[in-house]
Amino acid sequence: MGRPDLTEISRFLMSNLDDPDVQELFQHANEDLAKLDQTTPNLSEVNYASLPIEHETVWIINMQFGGMKTATGELLRDDHPAHVKERAYQSFDLHAWNCRGEGSRPDLYRYMQNYDRTPPNSKQVEEFIKLAMAHPHPIFKPALPHLLILSANLSHHKQALKPFLDSLPAPFKWKDTPAEIEDTIRDMVYENGKELFNQYVASAKENKASGNSAYAAKNREAAVAFFEDAIKYLDRAFRRYTPATEAIKQDAMKLKVVCHANCSAARLMGGNTSQENAEKAVDDAEDAILLDTFYVKGYMRLARAYQALGQRSDAEEAVARALRLKEMENDEGLVDLLISIQTCGKGLPAPGTELAKEWVSVTFSDDSERAERMKSVNGLWRKRCEAHMKEIQGSSY
């Protein structure tokens, strides 16, 4: 039996994504990919004509709309606030898909690159093709295809690309995508994207589970590292691929929210939290809230992070932000946490004490910072505190 070629291997991998060994292989490849993204070679030093030609292999150079991004680089969602949407910009993805033969289904992409704000120009497309040849993703080796096909939405770069592509030796060939098969290619790319999206999400889930285990074992460094890796996998999934359904997309987004919140909690575990860890915990919690405005634990993590920084007023405001939302104003956990922050963990003061008198003044006096903050907080917090105030006022100080 002959040695299997690369396309046979990649086809096997794509059809066995649920296999733990295959998932582990992809995880290692993705780690190498992250390193690869940071090390771009000097393309002017590459002798492309000397690269081996992969016979019967076809590459499809395809451009897709990559979605709208926020100012922080995240994909724009329907629930982002208006001021975030106003600053959003478009992005585009270039893929170099590897196929066994013309008209066959892409196995994997050799290279992928994202371009923000405007589609890639001719120079960038040529550079991308050179990278796919000389600096592909780790599973591939530098090579030329037997046939390179430009998708229809890149055909206007043909004249600019012609000098370089025509300089490559036979049997290498290149051409535009025939209009009649453009839809077929688009469908194939879309199907591959769904599979790869699922693979990245699976890797994220695995890292989240490992992070939870490390957290339970009180290993802060390991827990943070696992949660950070889970977030990176999800970022890569959303940045580069398309989920099969809206439900799958929402499940993956919920997973990202939880990973940000868990990472925030992990940074604070064990006491003696450094300022750097506490500040990063604030960022993680804010990211969770940005992704899901109604995620209770996001606000709790944010408050805890501010407490670790010694910023009690900010911690109080973090919980008040949540309780101002009608959907969350009766959440007992948030109300308990807010009262704990406001009373330094002592709980509502007993009636008939000087502490009770001071609490009423600080909480309800018109000229106090807290009273101003809590004016728009209703629901359970107000019911509980006003009932306690009446009890205090009904007793002698």
Side-chain angles (χ1 to χ4, degrees):
M1 183 172 64
R3 182 179 179 182
D5 64 18
L6 184 58
T7 54
E8 290 173 338
I9 294 172
S10 60
R11 192 180 300 278
F12 169 81
L13 294 176
M14 293 305 297
S15 61
N16 290 275
L17 289 174
D18 293 332
D19 188 300
D21 291 333
V22 173
Q23 291 182 2
E24 182 178 0
L25 176 63
F26 269 111
Q27 180 170 341
H28 290 309
N30 288 333
E31 291 169 356
D32 291 339
L33 177 58
K35 297 176 183 177
L36 182 72
D37 288 342
Q38 302 172 5
T39 57
T40 302
N42 185 347
L43 297 177
S44 63
E45 298 178 354
V46 178
N47 182 358
Y48 298 93
S50 69
L51 294 176
I53 295 178
E54 296 180 340
H55 295 283
E56 299 184 3
T57 298
V58 177
W59 297 358
I60 299 172
I61 309 301
N62 171 265
M63 184 179 72
Q64 296 173 274
F65 178 61
M68 299 297 293
K69 289 185 177 181
T70 69
T72 59
E74 292 186 283
L75 284 178
L76 187 69
R77 304 188 318 279
D78 291 340
D79 60 347
H80 271 127
H83 72 276
V84 173
K85 292 180 178 179
E86 289 173 358
R87 300 175 60 192
Y89 57 87
Q90 58 187 354
S91 67
F92 302 86
D93 293 336
L94 275 183
H95 292 89
W97 291 98
N98 189 85
C99 305
R100 177 181 290 273
E102 189 170 0
S104 67
R105 186 176 185 274
D107 294 296
L108 288 172
Y109 65 82
R110 287 182 61 87
Y111 203 76
M112 182 273 172
Q113 198 155 328
N114 179 258
Y115 301 84
D116 290 338
R117 303 186 188 280
T118 60
N121 57 37
S122 296
K123 182 179 179 181
Q124 289 172 318
V125 174
E126 180 176 323
E127 181 180 90
F128 174 84
I129 293 173
K130 289 179 177 179
L131 285 167
M133 293 174 173
H135 193 59
H137 291 333
I139 196 172
F140 295 98
K141 294 181 179 180
L144 303 179
H146 180 78
L147 174 64
L148 184 146
I149 299 177
L150 288 176
S151 65
N153 57 14
L154 294 174
S155 61
H156 58 289
H157 297 297
K158 182 170 64 174
Q159 290 305 314
L161 298 174
K162 183 176 174 60
F164 169 66
L165 295 178
D166 283 351
S167 72
L168 300 175
F172 169 83
K173 297 182 294 184
W174 69 282
K175 67 177 184 177
D176 294 336
T177 302
E180 60 271 17
I181 69 168
E182 180 69 21
D183 288 342
T184 302
I185 291 176
R186 190 179 296 111
D187 290 342
M188 290 190 299
V189 170
Y190 177 74
E191 289 300 319
N192 258 52
K194 289 193 297 186
E195 291 178 355
L196 291 169
F197 180 93
N198 293 338
Q199 186 271 315
Y200 277 119
V201 171
S203 294
K205 288 180 178 178
E206 182 179 337
N207 275 272
K208 174 182 173 289
S210 298
N212 289 343
S213 297
Y215 186 91
K218 303 186 185 305
N219 187 335
R220 174 164 54 191
E221 289 74 16
V224 169
F226 280 123
F227 290 133
E228 285 182 332
D229 283 346
I231 292 167
K232 289 176 184 176
Y233 282 125
L234 291 167
D235 282 341
R236 190 177 294 277
F238 279 112
R239 185 168 67 247
R240 298 184 173 181
Y241 306 114
T242 304
T245 66
E246 183 64 22
I248 291 176
K249 175 183 175 181
Q250 291 303 319
D251 285 345
M253 189 61 69
K254 288 177 183 177
L255 177 62
K256 191 169 188 289
V257 171
V258 172
C259 287
H260 276 297
N262 286 4
C263 196
S264 179
R267 294 186 193 280
L268 302 175
M269 68 185 297
N272 299 318
T273 303
S274 67
Q275 180 169 337
E276 180 183 6
N277 265 331
E279 289 174 348
K280 288 182 177 180
V282 168
D283 292 339
D284 281 320
E286 288 284 16
D287 285 338
I289 294 168
L290 179 63
L291 294 171
D292 185 351
T293 306
F294 304 112
Y295 187 60
V296 170
K297 286 186 178 180
Y299 296 95
M300 290 182 166
R301 302 290 189 257
L302 183 60
R304 295 300 189 194
Y306 278 128
Q307 283 183 303
L309 288 168
Q311 298 172 207
R312 179 180 166 190
S313 178
D314 289 326
E316 186 175 328
E317 172 60 23
V319 185
R321 276 172 59 187
L323 293 176
R324 291 188 191 108
L325 301 173
K326 188 71 175 176
E327 296 84 351
M328 303 170 72
E329 65 178 8
N330 293 314
D331 187 277
E332 291 189 15
L334 287 170
V335 172
D336 289 343
L337 177 58
L338 181 54
I339 290 174
S340 175
I341 294 171
Q342 291 176 331
T343 62
C344 298
K346 298 176 182 177
L348 295 176
T353 64
E354 284 298 320
L355 193 60
K357 182 178 180 180
E358 179 184 352
W359 176 81
V360 171
S361 176
V362 170
T363 305
F364 294 100
S365 174
D366 289 339
D367 59 354
S368 76
E369 178 185 353
R370 178 177 300 162
E372 182 64 28
R373 174 182 294 122
M374 304 307 294
K375 275 183 179 179
S376 55
V377 175
N378 297 302
L380 183 59
W381 178 88
R382 185 159 298 279
K383 291 177 184 177
R384 190 182 293 181
C385 289
E386 287 184 349
H388 193 68
M389 179 180 66
K390 290 178 181 178
E391 186 178 350
I392 290 172
Q393 291 174 336
S395 65
S396 58
Y397 288 115

